[in-house]
Structure formats: C-alpha cells, structure tokens
Amino acid sequence: SKLVRDINTPYHHISVIAESVLGTRELKFDRFTESAIELSEPHRSMSQYTTYFHLAFLPQPKIRRALFIGAGGGVGPRAFHQHDPTMEIDVVDIDQAVLDVASDDFYLPESENIRMIAADGRTFVRNSPDGHYDAIFLDAFTIGGRIPFHLVTREFFQLCRQKLAPGGVFVMNINSAVRGKNAEIFESMYTTLGEAFPQVHAFAIG
C-alpha cells in the first residue's frame, strides 16, 4: 500500500491509498472507504453501490442535466460523463479538498459540461432554478458514515422535487440494513421520501 494523499480538513480526514498489487486506488474519509477504482483505464469503479446510480436511466432515459450532491471520488459523475459527454453535470461538495481529490486522484475530467462547486448541498439546491435537473443524486456522508441531518429532512426532499424537471428522478445512497433491527435508518428514510415523492423504490446491495 502507498499513501498517495493525507489531508485534514474541517470536515474530514481524507486519505488516498494506492494498492499496487491489486492495481486499485481507494478514497477514505476517516476509516470509511468512500470510493475505489481500478488504476488502469477506463478506471472502473470497485465500489459496487456506484453502479446503482445508473438505475436513474430506467424511469428517465434522457438525462440532460444531473446534480450530484457529495463528490466522493467523483465516480458517478465520471461514469455519466463517459456515457454522454454532452450531459451537463453539477458536482457539489461542501469540502473543496474532496473536489480536488476527485479531479487529481480519481480522474474526474475537466470539461465545460462538468461544474465543480464547493457549497453546502442544501443551500445550493435552494438557490437552483425549479425544474432544472433530470436527475439528482444524494451521496453525501459525514464522519462515521452518516448522512448530514439537514440533507435527510422532508423539507429538503420536497425542495429537491421542485428542482426536478418533469419525469425527473431522485436517487439516494443510504448506508443501512433494509431489514431487521439495524434497518431503522432505511425505514425512516423510506417513510420520509414517501412524504415528498409519489413513488419510492428501494434497491438493496446484497
């Protein structure tokens, strides 16, 4: 293992670790792995959950504008850009250092169609035009693998719905069991999402 980057910010302890034997690179916030990719092109994601972002194309095959709240390693935005380089993609993260790491260490390309914005996700969404996005992805986590509280309220979800164009889709990554005693977070989020959106579907990673 080789420590490529080690940064303390007001929000995270960020470390980027290269595994030369496996040919992978890993992004960690504190001790939690956020993203992992193959170092060889096309730098495929090793984080299974990121492939689930593509479920957005099922209800909305024509995504022209997308918003990612929480940059991580930029794996989702990079995959969507590769799928359609003309897609307009906004990547918002409260931590500028995370945006820098996505570009410098995880191959998120420079493009006139990718905007990198250091801002609080809720503030950014509030100031965005209504009906602007075909897809919004919420993948923001703070210390301990928790989603920031102000991004999981009914009011925020309703705000996101206002910013979606007709037929738009909201996709959210939840770090929780879906059944049993450890499913409290999922059950709460499912209920809250149902208060803001007419249809809610859950996809578990086995």
Side-chain angles (χ1 to χ4, degrees):
S1 298
K2 177 185 176 184
L3 187 62
V4 176
R5 205 170 299 278
D6 191 55
I7 311 168
N8 281 307
T9 78
Y11 307 100
H12 305 288
H13 173 232
I14 300 171
S15 53
V16 178
I17 300 162
E19 298 283 353
S20 56
V21 175
L22 298 174
T24 61
R25 181 170 287 168
E26 189 175 56
L27 171 65
K28 289 192 173 186
F29 293 168
D30 301 286
R31 65 181 187 278
F32 292 89
T33 299
E34 294 295 317
S35 298
I37 61 169
E38 292 180 349
L39 282 174
S40 58
E41 291 188 11
H43 310 299
R44 288 186 303 176
S45 173
M46 305 293 289
S47 303
Q48 185 183 8
Y49 81 91
T50 59
T51 61
Y52 279 58
F53 292 157
H54 292 80
L55 289 167
F57 287 107
L58 292 177
Q60 178 48 278
K62 296 180 180 178
I63 298 175
R64 305 301 309 131
R65 291 193 181 100
L67 168 62
F68 286 82
I69 303 170
V75 172
R78 180 165 57 82
F80 275 57
H81 178 73
Q82 289 172 337
H83 173 79
D84 180 2
T86 69
M87 188 186 299
E88 296 176 18
I89 301 172
D90 290 342
V91 186
V92 175
D93 199 289
I94 198 169
D95 195 341
Q96 179 64 53
V98 175
L99 297 170
D100 294 341
V101 164
S103 296
D104 296 342
D105 299 322
F106 287 84
Y107 307 101
L108 184 61
E110 287 188 20
S111 167
E112 62 181 11
N113 291 329
I114 299 177
R115 289 200 307 164
M116 308 278 276
I117 302 136
D120 171 70
R122 184 165 179 147
T123 302
F124 180 85
V125 170
R126 186 188 304 119
N127 295 330
S128 298
D130 286 358
H132 187 67
Y133 294 105
D134 301 302
I136 297 175
F137 302 86
L138 177 58
D139 187 28
F141 291 89
T142 184
I143 294 171
R146 297 184 181 90
I147 305 170
F149 176 75
H150 68 298
L151 299 183
V152 292
T153 64
R154 178 180 58 192
E155 291 76 15
F156 178 65
F157 294 149
Q158 289 172 337
L159 192 62
C160 287
R161 186 180 176 189
Q162 291 172 22
K163 308 305 176 178
L164 288 172
V169 59
F170 177 81
V171 179
M172 179 180 180
N173 178 25
I174 301 172
N175 185 15
S176 170
V178 294
R179 294 188 184 89
K181 62 181 180 179
N182 295 323
E184 288 182 1
I185 294 174
F186 166 74
E187 290 169 354
S188 174
M189 290 298 92
Y190 190 88
T191 300
T192 307
L193 285 163
E195 294 172 351
F197 293 95
Q199 296 182 51
V200 180
H201 303 278
F203 299 87
I205 298 176

mmCIF file of all heavy atoms in Angstrom, residues 35-55:
data_model
loop_
_atom_site.group_PDB
_atom_site.id
_atom_site.type_symbol
_atom_site.label_atom_id
_atom_site.label_comp_id
_atom_site.label_asym_id
_atom_site.label_seq_id
_atom_site.Cartn_x
_atom_site.Cartn_y
_atom_site.Cartn_z
ATOM 1 N N SER A 35 -14.796 5.553 -1.967
ATOM 2 C CA SER A 35 -14.723 5.162 -3.382
ATOM 3 C C SER A 35 -13.480 4.311 -3.584
ATOM 4 O O SER A 35 -12.493 4.449 -2.853
ATOM 5 C CB SER A 35 -14.633 6.393 -4.301
ATOM 6 O OG SER A 35 -15.767 7.211 -4.194
ATOM 7 N N ALA A 36 -13.539 3.467 -4.603
ATOM 8 C CA ALA A 36 -12.367 2.698 -5.008
ATOM 9 C C ALA A 36 -12.468 2.458 -6.505
ATOM 10 O O ALA A 36 -13.549 2.189 -7.025
ATOM 11 C CB ALA A 36 -12.292 1.372 -4.251
ATOM 12 N N ILE A 37 -11.338 2.590 -7.186
ATOM 13 C CA ILE A 37 -11.316 2.436 -8.635
ATOM 14 C C ILE A 37 -10.114 1.595 -9.055
ATOM 15 O O ILE A 37 -9.142 1.441 -8.316
ATOM 16 C CB ILE A 37 -11.240 3.803 -9.361
ATOM 17 C CG1 ILE A 37 -9.948 4.546 -8.968
ATOM 18 C CG2 ILE A 37 -12.479 4.632 -9.091
ATOM 19 C CD1 ILE A 37 -9.657 5.764 -9.838
ATOM 20 N N GLU A 38 -10.202 1.070 -10.284
ATOM 21 C CA GLU A 38 -9.044 0.440 -10.902
ATOM 22 C C GLU A 38 -8.145 1.538 -11.472
ATOM 23 O O GLU A 38 -8.636 2.513 -12.053
ATOM 24 C CB GLU A 38 -9.485 -0.501 -12.016
ATOM 25 C CG GLU A 38 -10.234 -1.726 -11.533
ATOM 26 C CD GLU A 38 -10.653 -2.642 -12.670
ATOM 27 O OE1 GLU A 38 -10.536 -2.220 -13.843
ATOM 28 O OE2 GLU A 38 -11.097 -3.767 -12.396
ATOM 29 N N LEU A 39 -6.837 1.370 -11.323
ATOM 30 C CA LEU A 39 -5.903 2.384 -11.825
ATOM 31 C C LEU A 39 -5.769 2.344 -13.342
ATOM 32 O O LEU A 39 -5.490 3.353 -13.975
ATOM 33 C CB LEU A 39 -4.535 2.207 -11.166
ATOM 34 C CG LEU A 39 -4.431 2.744 -9.733
ATOM 35 C CD1 LEU A 39 -3.085 2.383 -9.130
ATOM 36 C CD2 LEU A 39 -4.639 4.252 -9.708
ATOM 37 N N SER A 40 -5.986 1.181 -13.934
ATOM 38 C CA SER A 40 -5.890 1.085 -15.391
ATOM 39 C C SER A 40 -7.174 1.622 -16.027
ATOM 40 O O SER A 40 -8.262 1.522 -15.442
ATOM 41 C CB SER A 40 -5.654 -0.365 -15.815
ATOM 42 O OG SER A 40 -6.706 -1.193 -15.350
ATOM 43 N N GLU A 41 -7.005 2.215 -17.197
ATOM 44 C CA GLU A 41 -8.182 2.737 -17.908
ATOM 45 C C GLU A 41 -9.126 1.588 -18.278
ATOM 46 O O GLU A 41 -8.670 0.493 -18.563
ATOM 47 C CB GLU A 41 -7.724 3.487 -19.168
ATOM 48 C CG GLU A 41 -6.998 4.772 -18.850
ATOM 49 C CD GLU A 41 -6.721 5.600 -20.098
ATOM 50 O OE1 GLU A 41 -7.271 5.265 -21.176
ATOM 51 O OE2 GLU A 41 -5.980 6.577 -19.991
ATOM 52 N N PRO A 42 -10.449 1.814 -18.211
ATOM 53 C CA PRO A 42 -11.140 3.100 -18.010
ATOM 54 C C PRO A 42 -11.410 3.457 -16.548
ATOM 55 O O PRO A 42 -12.372 4.162 -16.272
ATOM 56 C CB PRO A 42 -12.447 2.879 -18.773
ATOM 57 C CG PRO A 42 -12.735 1.411 -18.566
ATOM 58 C CD PRO A 42 -11.386 0.731 -18.558
ATOM 59 N N HIS A 43 -10.579 2.969 -15.617
ATOM 60 C CA HIS A 43 -10.698 3.306 -14.192
ATOM 61 C C HIS A 43 -12.069 2.901 -13.650
ATOM 62 O O HIS A 43 -12.794 3.703 -13.064
ATOM 63 C CB HIS A 43 -10.449 4.799 -13.955
ATOM 64 C CG HIS A 43 -9.193 5.313 -14.586
ATOM 65 N ND1 HIS A 43 -7.945 4.820 -14.242
ATOM 66 C CD2 HIS A 43 -8.984 6.257 -15.528
ATOM 67 C CE1 HIS A 43 -7.022 5.453 -14.949
ATOM 68 N NE2 HIS A 43 -7.615 6.315 -15.740
ATOM 69 N N ARG A 44 -12.405 1.641 -13.847
ATOM 70 C CA ARG A 44 -13.721 1.160 -13.413
ATOM 71 C C ARG A 44 -13.860 1.255 -11.896
ATOM 72 O O ARG A 44 -12.906 1.110 -11.140
ATOM 73 C CB ARG A 44 -13.920 -0.297 -13.838
ATOM 74 C CG ARG A 44 -14.138 -0.476 -15.323
ATOM 75 C CD ARG A 44 -14.477 -1.919 -15.646
ATOM 76 N NE ARG A 44 -13.425 -2.824 -15.176
ATOM 77 C CZ ARG A 44 -13.489 -4.152 -15.264
ATOM 78 N NH1 ARG A 44 -14.561 -4.719 -15.791
ATOM 79 N NH2 ARG A 44 -12.502 -4.900 -14.843
ATOM 80 N N SER A 45 -15.097 1.505 -11.480
ATOM 81 C CA SER A 45 -15.390 1.608 -10.054
ATOM 82 C C SER A 45 -15.293 0.243 -9.393
ATOM 83 O O SER A 45 -15.772 -0.764 -9.920
ATOM 84 C CB SER A 45 -16.794 2.182 -9.849
ATOM 85 O OG SER A 45 -17.145 2.127 -8.478
ATOM 86 N N MET A 46 -14.682 0.204 -8.220
ATOM 87 C CA MET A 46 -14.653 -1.003 -7.396
ATOM 88 C C MET A 46 -15.678 -0.900 -6.268
ATOM 89 O O MET A 46 -15.765 -1.790 -5.429
ATOM 90 C CB MET A 46 -13.245 -1.192 -6.809
ATOM 91 C CG MET A 46 -12.133 -1.232 -7.833
ATOM 92 S SD MET A 46 -12.229 -2.683 -8.886
ATOM 93 C CE MET A 46 -11.768 -3.965 -7.715
ATOM 94 N N SER A 47 -16.413 0.195 -6.232
ATOM 95 C CA SER A 47 -17.449 0.405 -5.218
ATOM 96 C C SER A 47 -18.786 0.022 -5.840
ATOM 97 O O SER A 47 -19.312 0.737 -6.687
ATOM 98 C CB SER A 47 -17.478 1.871 -4.772
ATOM 99 O OG SER A 47 -16.217 2.269 -4.283
ATOM 100 N N GLN A 48 -19.326 -1.084 -5.413
ATOM 101 C CA GLN A 48 -20.495 -1.650 -6.077
ATOM 102 C C GLN A 48 -21.670 -0.684 -6.104
ATOM 103 O O GLN A 48 -22.393 -0.596 -7.101
ATOM 104 C CB GLN A 48 -20.904 -2.952 -5.386
ATOM 105 C CG GLN A 48 -22.042 -3.691 -6.089
ATOM 106 C CD GLN A 48 -22.478 -4.939 -5.336
ATOM 107 O OE1 GLN A 48 -22.033 -5.181 -4.219
ATOM 108 N NE2 GLN A 48 -23.359 -5.718 -5.935
ATOM 109 N N TYR A 49 -21.849 0.079 -5.014
ATOM 110 C CA TYR A 49 -23.053 0.905 -4.926
ATOM 111 C C TYR A 49 -23.107 1.964 -6.029
ATOM 112 O O TYR A 49 -24.201 2.370 -6.448
ATOM 113 C CB TYR A 49 -23.159 1.558 -3.546
ATOM 114 C CG TYR A 49 -22.330 2.798 -3.358
ATOM 115 C CD1 TYR A 49 -22.869 4.054 -3.642
ATOM 116 C CD2 TYR A 49 -21.013 2.736 -2.905
ATOM 117 C CE1 TYR A 49 -22.111 5.213 -3.477
ATOM 118 C CE2 TYR A 49 -20.258 3.878 -2.747
ATOM 119 C CZ TYR A 49 -20.818 5.107 -3.029
ATOM 120 O OH TYR A 49 -20.068 6.254 -2.873
ATOM 121 N N THR A 50 -21.942 2.421 -6.509
ATOM 122 C CA THR A 50 -21.958 3.492 -7.513
ATOM 123 C C THR A 50 -22.583 3.040 -8.833
ATOM 124 O O THR A 50 -23.109 3.863 -9.581
ATOM 125 C CB THR A 50 -20.541 4.042 -7.769
ATOM 126 O OG1 THR A 50 -19.694 2.986 -8.230
ATOM 127 C CG2 THR A 50 -19.961 4.654 -6.514
ATOM 128 N N THR A 51 -22.537 1.747 -9.125
ATOM 129 C CA THR A 51 -23.163 1.265 -10.351
ATOM 130 C C THR A 51 -24.682 1.410 -10.282
ATOM 131 O O THR A 51 -25.351 1.460 -11.324
ATOM 132 C CB THR A 51 -22.799 -0.203 -10.633
ATOM 133 O OG1 THR A 51 -23.275 -1.021 -9.560
ATOM 134 C CG2 THR A 51 -21.296 -0.374 -10.752
ATOM 135 N N TYR A 52 -25.217 1.492 -9.085
ATOM 136 C CA TYR A 52 -26.659 1.625 -8.915
ATOM 137 C C TYR A 52 -27.157 3.015 -9.313
ATOM 138 O O TYR A 52 -28.359 3.209 -9.509
ATOM 139 C CB TYR A 52 -27.056 1.332 -7.464
ATOM 140 C CG TYR A 52 -27.156 -0.140 -7.142
ATOM 141 C CD1 TYR A 52 -26.070 -0.998 -7.309
ATOM 142 C CD2 TYR A 52 -28.339 -0.698 -6.666
ATOM 143 C CE1 TYR A 52 -26.155 -2.340 -7.017
ATOM 144 C CE2 TYR A 52 -28.440 -2.050 -6.360
ATOM 145 C CZ TYR A 52 -27.341 -2.864 -6.538
ATOM 146 O OH TYR A 52 -27.433 -4.211 -6.258
ATOM 147 N N PHE A 53 -26.259 3.988 -9.435
ATOM 148 C CA PHE A 53 -26.683 5.304 -9.915
ATOM 149 C C PHE A 53 -27.351 5.204 -11.288
ATOM 150 O O PHE A 53 -28.220 6.002 -11.626
ATOM 151 C CB PHE A 53 -25.481 6.255 -10.023
ATOM 152 C CG PHE A 53 -24.877 6.652 -8.704
ATOM 153 C CD1 PHE A 53 -23.555 7.085 -8.639
ATOM 154 C CD2 PHE A 53 -25.604 6.612 -7.533
ATOM 155 C CE1 PHE A 53 -22.987 7.475 -7.444
ATOM 156 C CE2 PHE A 53 -25.040 6.984 -6.317
ATOM 157 C CZ PHE A 53 -23.722 7.419 -6.274
ATOM 158 N N HIS A 54 -26.925 4.218 -12.063
ATOM 159 C CA HIS A 54 -27.452 4.084 -13.426
ATOM 160 C C HIS A 54 -28.913 3.636 -13.442
ATOM 161 O O HIS A 54 -29.552 3.663 -14.504
ATOM 162 C CB HIS A 54 -26.584 3.112 -14.231
ATOM 163 C CG HIS A 54 -25.216 3.643 -14.517
ATOM 164 N ND1 HIS A 54 -24.197 3.610 -13.582
ATOM 165 C CD2 HIS A 54 -24.696 4.246 -15.610
ATOM 166 C CE1 HIS A 54 -23.119 4.158 -14.100
ATOM 167 N NE2 HIS A 54 -23.390 4.559 -15.324
ATOM 168 N N LEU A 55 -29.441 3.241 -12.291
ATOM 169 C CA LEU A 55 -30.875 2.946 -12.228
ATOM 170 C C LEU A 55 -31.705 4.159 -12.608
ATOM 171 O O LEU A 55 -32.862 4.018 -13.012
ATOM 172 C CB LEU A 55 -31.251 2.482 -10.810
ATOM 173 C CG LEU A 55 -30.761 1.096 -10.399
ATOM 174 C CD1 LEU A 55 -30.918 0.903 -8.895
ATOM 175 C CD2 LEU A 55 -31.536 0.013 -11.152
#
